[in-house]
Every structure is written in structure tokens, then in C-alpha cells.
Amino acid sequence: MTSQVSSPADKTDGALAGESCTPATENGAGKEVRRLDRVIIRFAGDSGDGMQLTGDRFTSETASFGNDLSTLPNFPAEIRAPAGTLPGVSSFQLHFADHDILTPGDAPNVLVAMNPAALKANLADVPRGADIIVNTDEFTKRPMAKVGYTTSPLEDGSLEAWNVHPVPLTTLTVEALKDFGLSRKEAERSKNMFALGLLSWMYHRPTESTEAFLRQKFAKKPEIAEANVAAFRAGWNFGETTEDFAVSYEVAPATKAFPTGTYRNISGNLALSYGLVAASRQADLPLYLGSYPITPASDILHELSKHKNFGVRTFQAEDEIAGIGAALGAAFGGSLAVTTTSGPGVALKSETIGLAVSLELPLLIVDIQRGGPSTGLPTKTEQADLLQAMYGRNGEAPVPIVAPRTPADCFDAALDAARIALTYRTPVFLLSDGYLANGSEPWRIPDVEELPDLRVQFATSANHELADGTEVFWPYKRDPQTLARPWAVPGTPGLEHRIGGIEKQDGTGNISYDPANHDFMVRTRQAKIDGIEVPELEVDDPSGDADTLVIGWGSTYGPITAAVRRVRRAGGRIAQAHLRHLNPFPGNLGAVLGRYDKVVVPEMNLGQLATLLRAKFLVDAQSHTQVSGMPFKAEQLAAHLEKVMKQGPKEAIND
């Protein structure tokens, strides 16, 4: 889904924007239409209720309409969790606006609850006065008992603080589909489309693409396709005719929030996949992915398997070790090699990553982080693999680390990681996480001319002359600027050389047990990583006299930036910086940290970046952490930053 935008950028604070509820026109049914500047909607139900599909379709229509948006899918780890239970609740939150926004929102303005479990699991997040649409057909004795309701919350007064809209979604859907010859169970499955139609009416979303999508998705079962379209239309008509929804809402396109270009909605994993394909084309190398399926990285394997026409080869291995082993072999053979995984898989790949460090071959290790340790929280987000990426190998095995900040930024981060790997002949970690992987936002499709030239020169001839005048190939004779060794494709005449994990002699690559040579090679490999060119860290300090700096990395960018906007809007002077390159750090990072009395580091771990900053720069970095499996909320983070700013320069707040 793409849309054209031709207005200049005009960044505003989406976190602070309030509702603009001015009565406007009347719709065709004579109902009032109010204009809003932003809305946060959460769809919630059983994992089999189609909440992710419903949210995805609403998101696609919202993107095509031209709103800025940010999403947060949230689903159980079980493929089919027990129906009607709290652990089985799946939800999809969408924040869309007529201006630039950064997060999926702290709390929904509208909750669609398909059953009692969905209501109970999400009610604490819904502010008083918000709208709650409930499927009354599910509020019977047994479903309520499963989640601990002894009386119906729809009748006992416990929901008086909210605007509750009771809708018999199941009954209305079955009635709308009575002429399609479906069983009741088959008809009930379309209730999510009824809900989508209702919400599409409420917020004036386009409908044509959803109907086309349904007909395409169920092309082999046209009767199911038409039933879903009918349910979708019935939901729309219900909103237009029922007296319970007296108002609908408009959220104008965010034309001022975007630079000129063609946009599409994109998730982090999809953007990362496209970035890898683009990198291979810009490098003029075939792309090889050796991978083992693991949540939440599997989508990259699925996506890349669709692009054989771009020279992409995917290999689904029997385990994590085989996946990276095959990828490293492909790197030796001259491919842009990638392996994808999550934290538990990184642990299994660590020895082969060390081998790649020793062989000095380009290899991308894409780690879509999730909650740990061990199996941990497969479908929840965390950014707790930083120290594993930095140090999680035996011996001195330095590896560069790159981290995207938003779903769309995963595209650029993939290109950047490929640049480093190819230029410096090294494995590179790319640290995304579940929040970025599954979340989505508008992405401006770049022109090919904007992409970097990543082409490399393979070794084709001898590169060293012996004392007797004989010309030979030395596989570890380095480029004096990058310290990268030559990349010789197997089968090139005269360039035969040894590879393996045993230490090599400088230059010749022969096996060496010489202590002085090992010391030299270890220091040289470290110097190569330390010498990688990365851009200087940019600092956002509008006043120029802030004494507090908040610095983060990865997916905390959105919540941090939204929180900083709130603090500034309230009159606070605070600076912000965000790291993409975590090894090596930007060359000016020490100077930046030294300019501020207080440095706050919000992370979804127990303070891993803060630990690195303290160790390297001897700065009193104050750690602010969260490991709940969910991203930071901007309001809570802003409150913490305001608290820090009121403290004396020597008072640390660690929590």
C-alpha cells in the first residue's frame, strides 16, 4: 500500500497533541462528525479471533489514507493458547495522527474487547472516559468464570467510568451471513471483520482495499471471501444506523509530517529484509541466508525466500549451528552472507561467530531480540543481548554492532551493517528487537540513486613478492587504511590458501603458535574494529544549555523522543542523543557525555549500555530500566526524566 506525499516536513510532538473535538459536518445518516488530531485503538481477543489481521487491515487503510502511524502487535507465545484465558489474549494497538508521531501510544482511546479475557487483560491500560466496545455474546457464565468474573462487568457497575458500547458482534455477524450457507462456526469466524467494518465507519477509513484484500486472500474459497466482505459491510452499516454510535471521527492525513516521496506502511522485519536485498544489489553480490526458524526473526526467512529473482538463496537449516555454518561458508564463497536469529540462537552460534572473526570474512548476524533468559518470552520485546553481542565469545573476538531505532530504520541499518562487513571483512551484529520487528510505520521508498555503493574488489592476483622474486598470495596481507584482508573467492587460480580456527601467521595465513604473533594478531583484529568509520553522534539540544542528557539505543528511540518532547513542552531543558553504532562507539561520544552534569540511559534491560558507558568513559550514567516485555510508556519516562532534572548533579537515580 503506497501513497504520494508532497508537503514539506513539519515535525510536531505527537505525544503531546490533544484531541481537537470540534463538531464538523454531518454524515449521510445525519450523525455528528468530529475532527481529532490523533487516536489510539486497541483490538483484543483470543489468539484465534483474528486480532492481528484486523489490526493489520485497519493499519493498511490508515497508511493509504496518509496518516502517520505506529503499531504494537502483542500476542501469546502459544500457537493456540487456551481459548478465553488471560494468557491467550492477543491484541493489536494502532496510534494514528495528522502529525508526526513516534510511539504506538501509552493508552488506547478505544478498546475493542472480543471476550471477557480481552476486557480483563487490557482494562488497566484504558483511561477513564475512553470508549470500550464489547462483544456481549461472549459474556456468559463460563467465559466469565475462566477469568475470575463472578458477575458480569457489563451489569455490575464496574465499568461506569468508561463509555461502554455493548454490541452482540457474534449474533450480528451470523445474522448478516445467514444466506451464505455457512455453518454457525464458520460464520462466527467473520466477527472480526464486522468489528473492522464498525471501526472503519467510526474513523472514516477507506474500505475498497480491504474488500480487495479479502477476495484475494480467500480466492480459492470465494464463498468465504464474500462472507467476510459481507460481514465487513454489515459492521460499517451497523455503525451508520445504530443509535449507540451517535458520533464518528475524522483524522486528517499527516501531509505536513512527511518529506516529499512515495510512502508505504512497513514493519521492521520487512524493512530489514528489503534492506538486505538492497545491500546485495548495491554490492553486486548474491545474498545467502542460512537460518533456523525462531520467533521473532522467522519473518525475515519467510520474506527473503520470496525473492529468488534478486539472486537471494535461503537455506532453512536443521539447527542454529548449521544455519550460521552454511552462511559462513557462503561468505567464503563470495556471497553477502546473513544468518538470522534471536537471543537463544546467538548463544548457539557463538563459536562460529568467533570463527568468522578469526577468518575475517563478512557475515551479518541479525539478532531480533526477545525476552530472556533461555526460551524466555518468545513474543515479547527486550534489548538485553547487547553484552552478549559485545562479549559473548571465547577469547578476544571483537564484532561491530549496529542497532536500528525504528521499524523503517531497519532498512538503513541493514545497509550500514553490510557496508561495515564488506569494507572491513568482519562479522557484524545487527540488533533489532520484537518491538521493531512486529511494529510498523510509514516508510519513504528511496530512489536507487540514494543507496550507497557497496561494491567490493575480490583478490584476483598475487599480492606479495618474496625475496627471490617469486610472487605469491598472502591471505592476511592487509589494506593499510581499513586493516581488512583480501577476499579471495575459492577456485581463483594461484590464490589457494588455508582457512580454519587455529591462529594464523600475519601475512601468510600459515598456522602459527608463536606467542608474539598471536599477540600481534589479536591487537590487529581489535584495531580493525576500533578503526571502523562511523558518523559522529548527533545531539538534539535546542536550548544549548541543558545540563541533562538522555541517551539510548535501538527501539527506545520513540519513547525517549516522545518523553523528551513532553519535558520540553513543560519548560524543561534537556538534551537527547541516540546511538546506532555500539561497537565502535562514535568518536565524539566521550566529549558529548562530558558536556552534561547528568546522563540518563533508558534501556529495556538491567543497564547494559550504561555499564559500557561507565566502563569506557568513566561517566556517572544513571540507568533507568524496564524488563516487562513491553516498550517504555512516554508519560512514565517523562516523569522519570523530570525527577532526574530536579536532583543535584551528584545524586544518582538507579531503578
Side-chain angles (χ1 to χ4, degrees), residues 350-394:
S350 61
E351 183 180 6
T352 307
I353 298 172
L355 177 59
V357 171
S358 177
L359 298 181
E360 300 189 47
L361 286 171
L363 173 67
L364 300 185
I365 305 111
V366 178
D367 177 6
I368 313 298
Q369 302 165 95
R370 73 190 202 193
S374 187
T375 306
L377 304 173
T379 60
K380 308 301 179 183
T381 194
E382 208 163 272
Q383 49 175 185
D385 294 351
L386 175 56
L387 294 184
Q388 180 178 222
M390 183 75 78
Y391 299 120
R393 293 160 296 283
N394 67 295

Side-chain angles (χ1 to χ4, degrees), residues 108-111 119 122-133 153 157-165:
N109 306 115
V110 180
L111 171 66
L119 176 64
N122 292 279
L123 187 60
D125 292 337
V126 184
R128 302 298 193 267
D131 291 308
I132 300 177
I133 300 172
S158 60
L159 299 179
E160 289 182 352
W162 292 272
N163 298 321
V164 179
H165 303 274

